[in-house]
Every structure is written in structure tokens, then in C-alpha cells.
Amino acid sequence: MASVLGGCDQARNWMKPKPNEQDVQLTDVPERVFWGDTHLHTANSADAFGYGNRLMPEDALRFARGEKVKSTTGIEAQLARPLDFLVISDHSAGLGGLNELYDAPRFLIRDPTMRRWHDLMHEGPQGSLKAMGELIRARLANKLPAQMSDPDPEKSAERLRSVWDDHISTVERYNEPGKFTAFLGFEYTLMNGGNNLHRNVIFRDGSDRVKTVVPLEEANYTSPEALWDYMDAYEKATGGRVLAIPHNGNLSNGLMWEMIAPGGGPMSAAYARRRATREPVVEITQIKGDSEAHPFLSPNDEFAGYGTEGWDLNNVLNSQPTKPGDYAGSYVREALKRGLAIEQRVGANPYKFGVIGSTDSHTSLATADENNFFGKSPVVEPSAHRATDAFVPGLDKVRMNWQSLASGYAAVWARGNTRAAIFDAIMKKEVYATTGPRMTVRVFGGWDFTESDLKGDWVHAGYKRGVPMGGTLLDAMPNARPRFIISALKDSRGANLDRVQVVKGWVDKAGRTQEKVFDVVWSDMAKRQPVSGKVPAVGDTVDLARASYRNTIGAPTLTTVWTDPDFDRSLRAFYYVRVLEIPTPTWVAYDAVKYRLTLPPSVRLKGQERAYTSPIWYSPS
């Protein structure tokens, strides 16, 4: 009886008229952080379907809102805490294509290879995986069946329009301004010889405008400019707004953030400005590795290289080995430094971006919790063997699934939970990334902040007398040094904090890019005195036999007002904050206990999860 009444209550709630965005009261400045995932795939993505995913956009939205769903492999799944917003970013190429093959009556499938793939997909996730492996190999060898390699353009357009319209209707039904924001978007899966140049595209608008277009497919493009043309045309025709978010620079073999224009030649100021406008933020961390920094580029940073193991060996398709010379164009910190150098030369910074995290999950389940990780795809959902499977089981052993990260989330400081408010905050870069934990992190840069500001309304003081993350400090006060109000609060359900660092990048007087990492506040500062300029390790309470840790070390909150001791007002610079937790178990450690596994010593079982803020830039007048 209770379940019947509960279902009736839910039905009544759906029948209630939803508020419009205009009905949501916005705060005068952002007062809370909103958590979301801007990169999630459902069964409408060809690769997700091919890897066995059978959960549709509605399942993904229900899960993100905190409801219990059943995964493709039949496991009950639910978030411990719902998200505030979600972008389902299914691949534009082949959108809904494999679903169509799966649903087709068998007797109508004339091609024997396509009929075999149809049958395999109906066998379940493992059969789907086998079909997908054969399909990928056929595509790489240019041996796809004629119907797939050269489809009927009219039928393909009809399918794309039908799937897109259904997607829009579902997303609109779940968008609830003030409570949960469901964005319309897609993934533009740009490749250059197997090197990752993917972008997630997010619309600020609702169905009235977005229905006038369909997702742009990649065709044979090798640079993002065709996507920017699509975005320009959409905004001009509709009066709407749209942005793009690059991801996985770590798998681009140096092509994501180059010093030159696409195709060679010097980068122009016009190109730099256009790129910065169209791509205000980048995805710095996700399942396929972390793109913040690499030890090869930052040898003096003992915390560089989080989540890079295995991902720094090859491009996204494992078709071109990565050389050390490729790293500089593949990692965010180096890209930010390159942006300063390009700005100094041409007067515009193409890489003046903020950072977020997201999952890139292909299970329809937007979870970044180590103890609730469902993997990249259904074939690596929780099981006793998934840790030691290949990242794409059955296809290769270049990357192992234990190298996957249970990462990450996008944190947005916005004035309210609406499409407009969250989109506008992303455009302003008032955002940060975490590898999964929901730490509350805030930073303001200014010229006259003092420790006494932390005793009062420092948030309003930060906006009134400075700029938030994503902002630019102008050289307005002679003889002053930039001062930063920094506040970090642990995840209420997570681990204590080890330390807060400021990462500074700049261009020196000789025109060379430089970087330095400052420990600015840490737990137990009286006992953990720096040695040779380095703060000692916080300690380790992880119990691998139980996949647990104790919050007997670290601190629940860390705050400070920090001044750059090396400031030179003539030099361009950026500053971003990195917050580290105390060591905690990885998802593999939880699996090891649950399934009683004995794993090779190379498998990473613990680490220090973290947050990265968008930078604050300093620009000489």
C-alpha cells in the first residue's frame, strides 16, 4: 500500500506545473556551489550502446536527481547525494544508430555482418562488446558494411532528427528550475588521426531554440573551427547561447593546446579571441585520466601526475604512441602558461579558461564516488574481475581498467539553480573541478585583503574589492602585491584536508614560461614545518584490509589570506588553487575487499583526491 501511495504522490508531483526560470529568486552574488556532470553518455551514444549500455536519457536524469535505478547489468544504483545539474552529452556521430540496428527486425537485415552484430548485441553486454570490437576493427580497416560506411543521407538525417527530438522532450520534462537543471547538449567527437580533440557542447536555452538545430557531426574536420561556425550560426539565428568544453587533452598527443594555429603557422589574435570566447572552460579530470600536470613538465611538483598512469602512453585510440615532446600541448597547467606567452606575442590569450571535472561515464550513471563507482561502461560495472580487465575488455591490454579514475564533478558558484544562472557562471569561469569529493572551495584575488577580512563577510568583500576565480586582476595599485582570500571546507561526508596550494605560472623577462607551487596553508602547521621548502606528508590512516580511513589527521577546513612573495608587476601571471585531501582508498581498494581480491603490487589502492580552481589572472596595464 505504501508503494502505491508513493507512486501516486510521484505522479501528482509530475502533474504539478513546474516553475519557470523567471520564478526562481536569484541571490545578488553566488552564495552556494552547485554540483553536476557535464559529460555523460546514455544508450543513444553508439559506443555506449555497443559496450552494452541499455539505459536511456530518462534513466540518467532520474539517477542524477537521486532516484534509484537498475544498471544495465542489473545492479541497483543510487547516488548518496543527488546532483544539482546534468548534461547528457551523447555523441553526435551515429546518434541512436546502433539502437536502430538492435531494434531492426532480423529478417530485414540483408548484410550478414550486420546481422551477426545484431545477434551478438542481443546476447547481452559481452556479446555487445564482441560486436563493438569487430565494428571498431572494421572501421579502422575501412571495411564497414556498405550500409554503415555510406548510409542513406536522407534516412540518417531522419534518424538524427527523431532521436534528437525525443532527447529534447525527455530533458525538458526533467528540467525543474530551482531544484534540478537539465541542460541540452551533445558531444562533438573530433579526432585527428586518433588524437583526442573532443568537445562537449552545452546550450543555455530550452527546446524552443534548440529544436531549430540538430547536433553537428564531425565528418572529416581536423580542428574545432567548424564547431565554432555551427555555434556562431545557432546564436545568430536564434538569439540563444552555446558553449563548448574540451576534454582529455591528456590523450591528444600535444594537439589540444598548441602554440601554433591548427594546420601550422602563427596563431592570430582573432583566432585566440575566438577560441577563448567559444571555450571558456576545459574538463581537467575524468575517468580517462587527469589532465592537470605531468611530472615530466613539472618535476619539482611532488603532487603532479595524479591519475596519469597508463593514459600518457598513447592517444585515445591507442593508434599513436605519445612522446615526451607531446606532453606540453596535452596538460592544462602548461596550456595556461602557453596562453600567457601567446598573449604577450599577439595581444590575446586563447587559453584563458577555467576548469571543471566530469565523468565521461558511458553507463548513464553520473557517479564519481570511489565506493560507488560503476566504471566507464557496463562491461566494467562492479565485478570480481573488472579491476584487472583491460580498459575496454576484449579489445586491448594497453590500458588496464584499474587505471580508470572515479572522477570527477563540476562545481559551479551560481546565483541559483537554473540553466541561465549556471551557464552564465560557467562563461564567467567561476567554477572548479574535483576528482569526486564535494569540497567547498572559494578564492578571491585583490590588492588590499587582510586576515581581518576572514572575520567578517569576506564573500561580499571579495566581490566588492577583488575578483573571484575566473577573474582578472588589473595593475591598478602601485607598490601593491596581489592578495588572495582562500577558503577550503572538506566534503561533509568525506576526508579531511591535507593542504591548500597556489600554483603560479608566469612569463619571465626573457619571455620564458615559468611555474611554482606554493603551500599556503595546511593541517597541523605547528608540527609540520617545511623542510627544504617542502611541507612534510600529512600521514596515512588508510586500512586496506577494510578499505577505510580515519579522519584523525588533516583538518576539516583551511583558510588563509596569501600574498605572492615573488610578485613582479611587469610580468603576466595566473594563480589557481589546488586542495588536497588526506590519503583515502581508491575504488579498486573497495573492490579488493568486497570481492576478496589479491592484486598485483602495481595496482594503485590509495591516493589523495583533490580540487582545482579556475585561475585568477594578473595582467599588467
Side-chain angles (χ1 to χ4, degrees), residues 194 310 313-321 392 396-399:
L313 302 177
N314 216 305
N315 66 11
V316 70
L317 292 184
N318 294 324
S319 63
Q320 181 180 311
V392 181
D396 61 66
K397 288 282 186 179
V398 175
R399 295 186 177 103

Side-chain angles (χ1 to χ4, degrees), residues 27-41:
T27 56
D28 60 339
V29 299
E31 293 182 357
R32 59 165 288 197
V33 62
F34 295 96
W35 293 95
D37 187 353
T38 63
H39 191 177
L40 181 73
H41 295 271

Side-chain angles (χ1 to χ4, degrees), residues 229-472:
D229 291 342
Y230 167 92
M231 297 164 71
D232 289 344
Y234 168 80
E235 292 188 350
K236 184 176 180 181
T238 67
R241 300 285 303 283
V242 60
L243 62 82
I245 304 176
H247 70 84
N248 282 117
N250 62 323
L251 297 173
S252 72
N253 274 350
L255 297 185
M256 185 66 84
W257 298 297
E258 294 185 284
M259 288 293 289
I260 58 175
M267 189 180 294
S268 68
Y271 175 90
R273 283 191 290 269
R274 188 184 194 201
R275 180 159 183 163
T277 300
R278 282 287 162 230
E279 300 180 355
V281 301
V282 304
E283 185 182 294
I284 195 172
T285 187
Q286 60 132 276
I287 284 174
K288 298 197 303 294
D290 196 278
S291 299
E292 186 230 357
H294 192 280
F296 179 82
L297 301 169
S298 303
N300 295 322
D301 178 4
E302 69 266 42
F303 295 104
Y306 177 85
T308 60
E309 187 173 7
W311 305 105
D312 57 357
L313 302 177
N314 216 305
N315 66 11
V316 70
L317 292 184
N318 294 324
S319 63
Q320 181 180 311
T322 301
K323 303 180 295 295
D326 298 330
Y327 292 149
S330 301
Y331 289 87
V332 165
R333 186 186 302 175
E334 197 68 21
L336 291 168
K337 289 156 60 179
R338 286 182 161 196
L340 295 180
I342 293 170
E343 182 181 22
Q344 187 153 305
R345 188 173 68 243
V346 306
N349 184 344
Y351 307 137
K352 195 172 184 178
F353 50 64
V355 297
I356 60 162
S358 281
T359 66
D360 193 15
S361 169
H362 282 53
T363 62
S364 304
L365 308 175
T367 172
D369 298 323
E370 300 284 350
N371 62 356
N372 192 29
F373 182 52
F374 272 74
K376 171 76 170 181
S377 61
V379 288
V380 286
E381 286 184 0
S383 71
H385 54 79
R386 66 167 176 167
T388 50
D389 280 344
F391 178 64
V392 181
L395 292 185
D396 61 66
K397 288 282 186 179
V398 175
R399 295 186 177 103
M400 304 306 297
N401 195 46
W402 65 262
Q403 294 167 329
S404 303
L405 301 184
S407 185
Y409 280 142
V412 179
W413 286 104
R415 296 170 58 212
N417 193 355
T418 68
R419 282 174 175 162
I422 292 173
F423 184 99
D424 293 348
I426 295 173
M427 287 297 299
K428 287 167 39 182
K429 301 180 276 289
E430 200 167 351
V431 298
Y432 64 97
T434 84
T435 55
R438 303 193 192 185
M439 304 94 105
T440 303
V441 185
R442 206 154 201 181
V443 56
F444 292 94
W447 299 106
D448 64 350
F449 296 139
T450 67
E451 290 287 342
S452 63
D453 285 311
L454 288 172
K455 299 175 183 177
D457 186 353
W458 58 269
V459 171
H460 279 81
Y463 283 110
K464 185 177 180 180
R465 293 168 22 225
V467 297
M469 64 181 79
T472 300

Side-chain angles (χ1 to χ4, degrees), residues 6-23:
C8 292
D9 288 342
Q10 188 177 44
R12 281 194 293 270
N13 287 336
W14 280 115
M15 292 170 64
K16 290 179 182 176
K18 289 189 293 186
N20 294 315
E21 290 214 354
Q22 294 76 13
D23 299 328

Side-chain angles (χ1 to χ4, degrees), residues 85-99:
F85 65 91
L86 179 70
V87 185
I88 294 174
S89 57
D90 282 316
H91 294 290
S92 56
L95 187 68
L98 282 189
N99 311 48

